[in-house]
Amino acid sequence: MSNHNYTAESIKTLKGLEAVRKRPAMYIGSTGSTGLHHLVYEVVDNSIDEALAGYCDRVDVFIHADNSITVLDNGRGIPVDYHAGEKMSALQLVMTTLHAGGKFDNSSYKVSGGLHGVGVSCVNALSVSLKVEVYRDNDIYFMEFSRGIPLEEIKVIGKTEKKGTKVTFLPDPNIFEVTEFSFDILSKRLRELAFLNKGLRITITDERGEGKNHDFCYPGGLVSFISYLDENKVPLHPQPFYFDQSKDGTEIEIAMQYNDSYVENLFSFANNINTIDGGTHLSGFKKGLTRAINNYITDNNLLKSNNKLELKGDDFREGLTAIVSVKLSNPQFEGQTKTKLGNSDIMGIVESSIVDSLGIYLGENPVIAKKIVDKCINSAIAREAARKARQLARRKSVMDGGGLPGKLADCTERDPSKCEIFLVEGDSAGGSAKMGRDRTFQAILPLKGKILNVEKARIDKVISHEEIQVIVQALGTGFGKNEDDDGFNISKLRYNKIIIMTDADVDGSHIRTLLLTFLFRHMPGLVENGNVYIAQPPLYKIKAGKEERYAFNDEEKDRIMQEWKDKKNISIQRYKGLGEMNPEQLADTTMNPATRTLLQVKLEDTIEADRIFTMLMGEEVEPRRRFIEENAKKVKNLDI
Ligand code: 0RA
């Protein structure tokens, strides 16, 4: 530092990075785990920009033993020449100025830039140490920074034949609440990036502990992505449909495949960012899909025997997995979380391109086209049946009076934000729960037996299932697509917390999974909004004389046994069912907010969640068998 010359410019850049350190969340979203991992994406995005510009085909990421990260690419290398206007090297400028990247490179469009797109200088500002090596013109250039401040001027430290950039950084523990990287989180995003940028090889190596390594490279791009998403599904046609187009600096890529399930699975990306709230590219895709298939049906007169049937948008997407990825030079992201694409011209471009290309594909593949059209027609028939079943259910509930199910023990509070409902396995536990609850704000809905596995059932069957009707009535939200007359509406939810309470045995797990499958597939809004919880009843009661303790897992039981090792007459009761507890015990251990533990169900990764539900609950037996074989060793308490 002592021999470093401060210029007016370097002071200016310092001010910029100071702002990042003062308000890190404004730049990287959070200072928790999400923000920490975002640092890696921010550096990787620069490498991917090099790949998109055609100069880089490999990115290697390392998690070192001390939780520092290295990102190495074989791109052009960050420019190193002296920048007269700014009175410092280009490298220093890139590393210390917010949004410096574009200054050098107007010709190639920057597309990545991450969700926050703040650049590598933010990573620098938020790292205790950042070292960068640039391989350019046969020299190795080096600079080191601490909290964004250069430790010395740029220097050449050796010769090389390589080209590229290597950035190694250690996140600042004064900024981040968490400083441990998750291999799984990084690996998932890097895999996604490899799918989205076909042919780019991305590796990740974990040097901590036993060490781990993944190597991703997909020459098939989105087609490989579809195969990954639908690994556990039965496809309707062997190869995904694929289309790409590059015009006026805008690139559109679409891959889709129908499978024999009833689940619609659409993913959209803009500049490699998962636009979870969709936007113009996704709307354009949906419109184009509807038009293309409708054109085919009309041209081939395929609705003749069913001419009263009206196909709706949803009908064209039943059992469809599709990915829409666009790359454009001026993305406009909208919405609170900036995950919705707003560029209006994209809608028409995507729509017309899919109408044309899918139209040609259907024309050239009549056997596949017939399967797809049949699937759409069957969906419309089922939707019509579902509408009738729903009307019937509504009429029945009106005749029952009030519209609330008879077996619901409702609470007296009317403000939903204060209310909770327990979905309880079995009448006997339901009875204890009713006696143990605080009736002012806790409602109890006992469920008999196992609800329908909705993963294998079409909407008409789901709607006709009695236990599901009872749940839907109690929750008050309605269910299904919003565009239907009586679709899911979260503002009508009658309870802020929906608590699944099942026995701690195999049947209980099954019932919980069935309930979660229903909620995830048909009321995903509740999961996204954090309304769904799992009750944690104790596994053991440990008694010594008059003293009683509860243990919620084996470790806790062992700890209590250790503490009590000098006591006499210790007895352990393993609770198999909620019904074995009396109402006060159930209330104390599992229901009373002051003493209970609840697990909140969160949806962090929609892609992984879909794969798991399909694998556990879907038609294909083989993937489930593989999963059971791989995981059987981990099972501790299996009571058969
Ligand atoms: C500015 C301009 C150019 C490349 C880069 C930055 C660049 C940054 C990073 C960060 C990690 N890897 C990177 N690779 C490249 C263009 C360079 C030129 O025109 O030669």
Side-chain angles (χ1 to χ4, degrees), residues 43 46-47 50 73 76-79 94 101 104-105 110 136 165 167:
V43 182
N46 285 283
S47 305
E50 283 293 286
D73 69 49
R76 283 169 294 182
I78 302 178
V94 167
F104 299 93
D105 215 8
K110 292 265 164 217
R136 232 182 131 106
T165 305
V167 177

Side-chain angles (χ1 to χ4, degrees), residues 288-338:
L289 178 79
T290 300
R291 264 181 61 199
I293 300 179
N294 259 335
N295 288 349
Y296 186 84
I297 291 175
T298 314
D299 292 351
N300 295 280
N301 200 18
L302 296 175
L303 259 186
K304 47 182 184 274
S305 58
N306 254 317
N307 51 11
K308 282 228 183 82
L309 199 66
E310 207 186 314
L311 299 191
K312 277 192 174 179
D314 289 345
D315 298 326
F316 300 95
R317 304 192 295 272
E318 187 190 273
L320 176 69
T321 299
I323 305 161
V324 182
S325 169
V326 299
K327 294 183 180 123
L328 63 170
S329 46
N330 227 326
Q332 277 145 26
F333 291 105
E334 298 176 343
Q336 229 175 12
T337 50
K338 300 276 176 225

Side-chain angles (χ1 to χ4, degrees), residues 14 17-18 20-22 24 28 31 35-43 66-71 95-96 119-132 143-151 167-176 178-179 181:
L14 275 177
L17 295 195
E18 240 172 64
V20 177
R21 289 185 59 81
K22 257 195 199 135
I28 54 160
T31 52
L36 181 79
H37 291 85
H38 197 87
L39 298 179
V40 184
Y41 309 147
E42 209 58 69
V43 182
D66 62 349
N67 271 293
S68 64
I69 294 281
T70 291
V71 178
M95 299 312 295
T96 57
V120 70
S121 61
C122 280
V123 180
N124 194 15
L126 302 176
S127 297
V128 224
S129 157
L130 184 144
K131 295 176 190 157
V132 53
M143 259 195 110
E144 186 173 2
F145 305 81
S146 180
R147 303 190 160 107
I149 299 166
L151 296 185
V167 177
T168 300
F169 64 94
L170 181 66
D172 189 343
N174 295 344
I175 301 275
F176 291 96
V178 193
T179 51
F181 285 98

